[in-house]
Amino acid sequence: MKEYVFSDIADFLMHGREIEFVYKDRECAITNHTGRWWFYDGVEQVEVCEFENFELLVKKVVEYMVDDKTVQDIFDKRLYENVCIL
């Protein structure tokens, strides 16, 4: 499995790619549907921003928390178990 850091994830998001990952057995995702981006932390889904606003997407996602870590920490410290780039 290729290892990713948050700068890789930010680049994928800036190009409209969706991200799915597992952290502490929680299936998480950054996806788009209905013209909007959504963040799912394995428990609840929250609306992030409009689809075309990629800079705001990255700015918000970097600080979202999953359990006790930010998304940036999860990737930069390679704490995730699996990643799928769609």
Side-chain angles (χ1 to χ4, degrees):
M1 172 178 82
K2 178 173 176 13
E3 291 190 355
Y4 296 100
V5 293
F6 188 76
S7 61
D8 297 321
I9 300 308
D11 186 57
F12 291 136
L13 293 174
M14 289 293 291
H15 288 93
R17 307 281 302 270
E18 296 179 321
I19 313 293
E20 295 178 357
F21 63 97
V22 176
Y23 172 65
K24 289 189 171 182
D25 295 324
R26 291 171 67 171
E27 294 182 15
C28 305
I30 306 160
T31 59
N32 64 70
H33 56 88
T34 64
R36 314 219 32 99
W37 283 99
W38 300 85
F39 178 74
Y40 178 66
D41 68 359
V43 177
E44 67 179 299
Q45 181 171 294
V46 295
E47 183 178 319
V48 180
C49 63
E50 294 179 2
F51 178 76
E52 295 84 13
N53 200 340
F54 299 113
E55 288 180 19
L56 181 59
L57 170 65
V58 171
K59 183 178 178 180
K60 285 183 152 187
V61 166
V62 73
E63 296 183 356
Y64 277 131
M65 300 289 290
V66 180
D67 196 21
D68 59 343
K69 298 288 183 197
T70 65
V71 172
Q72 182 170 8
D73 283 342
I74 291 168
F75 283 95
D76 285 348
K77 295 178 181 179
R78 293 172 181 84
L79 303 173
Y80 56 86
E81 299 166 31
N82 189 24
V83 176
C84 180
I85 311 300
L86 307 170

mmCIF file of all heavy atoms in Angstrom, residues 30-31 36-40 46-50 53 56-58 60-61 64:
data_model
loop_
_atom_site.group_PDB
_atom_site.id
_atom_site.type_symbol
_atom_site.label_atom_id
_atom_site.label_comp_id
_atom_site.label_asym_id
_atom_site.label_seq_id
_atom_site.Cartn_x
_atom_site.Cartn_y
_atom_site.Cartn_z
ATOM 1 N N ILE A 30 -14.207 11.572 2.546
ATOM 2 C CA ILE A 30 -14.403 12.934 2.059
ATOM 3 C C ILE A 30 -14.966 12.751 0.654
ATOM 4 O O ILE A 30 -14.241 12.306 -0.246
ATOM 5 C CB ILE A 30 -13.084 13.727 2.034
ATOM 6 C CG1 ILE A 30 -12.417 13.681 3.411
ATOM 7 C CG2 ILE A 30 -13.324 15.158 1.564
ATOM 8 C CD1 ILE A 30 -10.936 13.994 3.389
ATOM 9 N N THR A 31 -16.244 13.004 0.501
ATOM 10 C CA THR A 31 -16.922 12.694 -0.753
ATOM 11 C C THR A 31 -17.717 13.889 -1.253
ATOM 12 O O THR A 31 -17.939 14.856 -0.526
ATOM 13 C CB THR A 31 -17.893 11.506 -0.574
ATOM 14 O OG1 THR A 31 -18.856 11.847 0.425
ATOM 15 C CG2 THR A 31 -17.149 10.256 -0.148
ATOM 16 N N ARG A 36 -22.022 19.245 -3.430
ATOM 17 C CA ARG A 36 -21.351 19.661 -2.206
ATOM 18 C C ARG A 36 -20.337 18.607 -1.767
ATOM 19 O O ARG A 36 -20.453 17.448 -2.116
ATOM 20 C CB ARG A 36 -22.374 19.869 -1.094
ATOM 21 C CG ARG A 36 -23.545 20.664 -1.582
ATOM 22 C CD ARG A 36 -24.176 21.672 -0.716
ATOM 23 N NE ARG A 36 -23.457 22.428 0.239
ATOM 24 C CZ ARG A 36 -23.034 23.675 0.048
ATOM 25 N NH1 ARG A 36 -23.187 24.256 -1.113
ATOM 26 N NH2 ARG A 36 -22.446 24.333 1.011
ATOM 27 N N TRP A 37 -19.364 19.033 -0.969
ATOM 28 C CA TRP A 37 -18.413 18.123 -0.340
ATOM 29 C C TRP A 37 -18.923 17.766 1.048
ATOM 30 O O TRP A 37 -19.506 18.605 1.743
ATOM 31 C CB TRP A 37 -17.031 18.769 -0.221
ATOM 32 C CG TRP A 37 -16.296 18.790 -1.521
ATOM 33 C CD1 TRP A 37 -16.193 19.843 -2.378
ATOM 34 C CD2 TRP A 37 -15.574 17.718 -2.110
ATOM 35 N NE1 TRP A 37 -15.442 19.485 -3.463
ATOM 36 C CE2 TRP A 37 -15.049 18.176 -3.329
ATOM 37 C CE3 TRP A 37 -15.316 16.406 -1.728
ATOM 38 C CZ2 TRP A 37 -14.281 17.394 -4.171
ATOM 39 C CZ3 TRP A 37 -14.543 15.614 -2.572
ATOM 40 C CH2 TRP A 37 -14.036 16.099 -3.766
ATOM 41 N N TRP A 38 -18.677 16.530 1.445
ATOM 42 C CA TRP A 38 -19.120 16.016 2.742
ATOM 43 C C TRP A 38 -17.961 15.301 3.417
ATOM 44 O O TRP A 38 -17.137 14.673 2.751
ATOM 45 C CB TRP A 38 -20.278 15.036 2.554
ATOM 46 C CG TRP A 38 -21.456 15.663 1.896
ATOM 47 C CD1 TRP A 38 -21.671 15.824 0.550
ATOM 48 C CD2 TRP A 38 -22.582 16.252 2.536
ATOM 49 N NE1 TRP A 38 -22.849 16.470 0.320
ATOM 50 C CE2 TRP A 38 -23.439 16.740 1.530
ATOM 51 C CE3 TRP A 38 -22.959 16.419 3.870
ATOM 52 C CZ2 TRP A 38 -24.642 17.373 1.818
ATOM 53 C CZ3 TRP A 38 -24.159 17.042 4.155
ATOM 54 C CH2 TRP A 38 -24.982 17.516 3.128
ATOM 55 N N PHE A 39 -17.932 15.387 4.750
ATOM 56 C CA PHE A 39 -16.942 14.669 5.531
ATOM 57 C C PHE A 39 -17.677 13.700 6.451
ATOM 58 O O PHE A 39 -18.576 14.100 7.190
ATOM 59 C CB PHE A 39 -16.092 15.633 6.364
ATOM 60 C CG PHE A 39 -15.076 14.927 7.224
ATOM 61 C CD1 PHE A 39 -13.946 14.383 6.653
ATOM 62 C CD2 PHE A 39 -15.274 14.797 8.585
ATOM 63 C CE1 PHE A 39 -13.009 13.719 7.435
ATOM 64 C CE2 PHE A 39 -14.348 14.138 9.378
ATOM 65 C CZ PHE A 39 -13.217 13.595 8.789
ATOM 66 N N TYR A 40 -17.279 12.442 6.392
ATOM 67 C CA TYR A 40 -17.867 11.408 7.238
ATOM 68 C C TYR A 40 -16.765 10.866 8.139
ATOM 69 O O TYR A 40 -15.730 10.425 7.651
ATOM 70 C CB TYR A 40 -18.467 10.297 6.379
ATOM 71 C CG TYR A 40 -19.054 9.167 7.168
ATOM 72 C CD1 TYR A 40 -20.170 9.361 7.978
ATOM 73 C CD2 TYR A 40 -18.495 7.902 7.120
ATOM 74 C CE1 TYR A 40 -20.711 8.320 8.717
ATOM 75 C CE2 TYR A 40 -19.031 6.850 7.851
ATOM 76 C CZ TYR A 40 -20.142 7.069 8.641
ATOM 77 O OH TYR A 40 -20.677 6.042 9.376
ATOM 78 N N VAL A 46 -20.965 15.492 7.879
ATOM 79 C CA VAL A 46 -21.161 16.935 7.925
ATOM 80 C C VAL A 46 -20.866 17.533 6.557
ATOM 81 O O VAL A 46 -19.984 17.064 5.834
ATOM 82 C CB VAL A 46 -20.281 17.612 8.998
ATOM 83 C CG1 VAL A 46 -20.674 17.166 10.386
ATOM 84 C CG2 VAL A 46 -18.816 17.362 8.755
ATOM 85 N N GLU A 47 -21.609 18.569 6.233
ATOM 86 C CA GLU A 47 -21.402 19.278 4.976
ATOM 87 C C GLU A 47 -20.172 20.157 5.113
ATOM 88 O O GLU A 47 -20.009 20.856 6.120
ATOM 89 C CB GLU A 47 -22.633 20.126 4.670
ATOM 90 C CG GLU A 47 -22.555 20.852 3.371
ATOM 91 C CD GLU A 47 -23.825 21.639 3.095
ATOM 92 O OE1 GLU A 47 -24.924 21.133 3.368
ATOM 93 O OE2 GLU A 47 -23.680 22.777 2.625
ATOM 94 N N VAL A 48 -19.303 20.133 4.099
ATOM 95 C CA VAL A 48 -18.072 20.917 4.146
ATOM 96 C C VAL A 48 -18.223 22.222 3.373
ATOM 97 O O VAL A 48 -18.060 23.301 3.921
ATOM 98 C CB VAL A 48 -16.865 20.111 3.613
ATOM 99 C CG1 VAL A 48 -15.593 20.942 3.667
ATOM 100 C CG2 VAL A 48 -16.701 18.807 4.367
ATOM 101 N N CYS A 49 -18.530 22.118 2.066
ATOM 102 C CA CYS A 49 -18.631 23.316 1.232
ATOM 103 C C CYS A 49 -19.168 22.933 -0.144
ATOM 104 O O CYS A 49 -19.373 21.764 -0.436
ATOM 105 C CB CYS A 49 -17.278 24.007 1.094
ATOM 106 S SG CYS A 49 -16.003 23.022 0.280
ATOM 107 N N GLU A 50 -19.348 23.953 -1.008
ATOM 108 C CA GLU A 50 -19.767 23.717 -2.371
ATOM 109 C C GLU A 50 -18.671 22.965 -3.129
ATOM 110 O O GLU A 50 -17.488 23.110 -2.830
ATOM 111 C CB GLU A 50 -20.055 25.032 -3.081
ATOM 112 C CG GLU A 50 -21.236 25.771 -2.513
ATOM 113 C CD GLU A 50 -21.478 27.091 -3.222
ATOM 114 O OE1 GLU A 50 -20.766 27.431 -4.174
ATOM 115 O OE2 GLU A 50 -22.409 27.788 -2.785
ATOM 116 N N ASN A 53 -15.436 24.801 -4.579
ATOM 117 C CA ASN A 53 -14.579 25.560 -3.672
ATOM 118 C C ASN A 53 -13.495 24.650 -3.057
ATOM 119 O O ASN A 53 -13.495 24.362 -1.865
ATOM 120 C CB ASN A 53 -15.428 26.221 -2.583
ATOM 121 C CG ASN A 53 -14.713 27.377 -1.928
ATOM 122 O OD1 ASN A 53 -13.495 27.481 -1.989
ATOM 123 N ND2 ASN A 53 -15.477 28.236 -1.297
ATOM 124 N N LEU A 56 -11.341 26.032 0.013
ATOM 125 C CA LEU A 56 -12.065 25.977 1.282
ATOM 126 C C LEU A 56 -12.175 24.540 1.767
ATOM 127 O O LEU A 56 -12.039 24.272 2.966
ATOM 128 C CB LEU A 56 -13.454 26.602 1.142
ATOM 129 C CG LEU A 56 -14.313 26.626 2.412
ATOM 130 C CD1 LEU A 56 -13.608 27.393 3.528
ATOM 131 C CD2 LEU A 56 -15.674 27.228 2.105
ATOM 132 N N LEU A 57 -12.376 23.619 0.855
ATOM 133 C CA LEU A 57 -12.449 22.196 1.196
ATOM 134 C C LEU A 57 -11.185 21.767 1.944
ATOM 135 O O LEU A 57 -11.253 21.206 3.037
ATOM 136 C CB LEU A 57 -12.629 21.358 -0.070
ATOM 137 C CG LEU A 57 -12.491 19.843 0.077
ATOM 138 C CD1 LEU A 57 -13.599 19.288 0.949
ATOM 139 C CD2 LEU A 57 -12.465 19.191 -1.296
ATOM 140 N N VAL A 58 -10.028 22.044 1.374
ATOM 141 C CA VAL A 58 -8.759 21.640 1.996
ATOM 142 C C VAL A 58 -8.570 22.372 3.328
ATOM 143 O O VAL A 58 -8.171 21.761 4.319
ATOM 144 C CB VAL A 58 -7.572 21.902 1.043
ATOM 145 C CG1 VAL A 58 -6.250 21.688 1.755
ATOM 146 C CG2 VAL A 58 -7.684 20.996 -0.184
ATOM 147 N N LYS A 60 -10.763 23.425 5.432
ATOM 148 C CA LYS A 60 -11.626 22.878 6.478
ATOM 149 C C LYS A 60 -11.238 21.450 6.852
ATOM 150 O O LYS A 60 -11.181 21.103 8.028
ATOM 151 C CB LYS A 60 -13.092 22.912 6.037
ATOM 152 C CG LYS A 60 -13.698 24.290 6.076
ATOM 153 C CD LYS A 60 -15.161 24.204 5.697
ATOM 154 C CE LYS A 60 -15.964 25.301 6.326
ATOM 155 N NZ LYS A 60 -17.404 25.125 6.082
ATOM 156 N N VAL A 61 -10.976 20.615 5.860
ATOM 157 C CA VAL A 61 -10.688 19.200 6.107
ATOM 158 C C VAL A 61 -9.421 19.016 6.935
ATOM 159 O O VAL A 61 -9.355 18.114 7.771
ATOM 160 C CB VAL A 61 -10.607 18.411 4.782
ATOM 161 C CG1 VAL A 61 -9.973 17.044 4.984
ATOM 162 C CG2 VAL A 61 -11.997 18.260 4.171
ATOM 163 N N TYR A 64 -10.456 18.868 10.572
ATOM 164 C CA TYR A 64 -11.528 17.990 11.062
ATOM 165 C C TYR A 64 -10.941 16.907 11.951
ATOM 166 O O TYR A 64 -9.851 16.403 11.699
ATOM 167 C CB TYR A 64 -12.297 17.349 9.911
ATOM 168 C CG TYR A 64 -13.372 18.251 9.344
ATOM 169 C CD1 TYR A 64 -13.473 18.451 7.980
ATOM 170 C CD2 TYR A 64 -14.292 18.876 10.162
ATOM 171 C CE1 TYR A 64 -14.457 19.265 7.452
ATOM 172 C CE2 TYR A 64 -15.276 19.693 9.637
ATOM 173 C CZ TYR A 64 -15.351 19.889 8.291
ATOM 174 O OH TYR A 64 -16.328 20.694 7.768
#
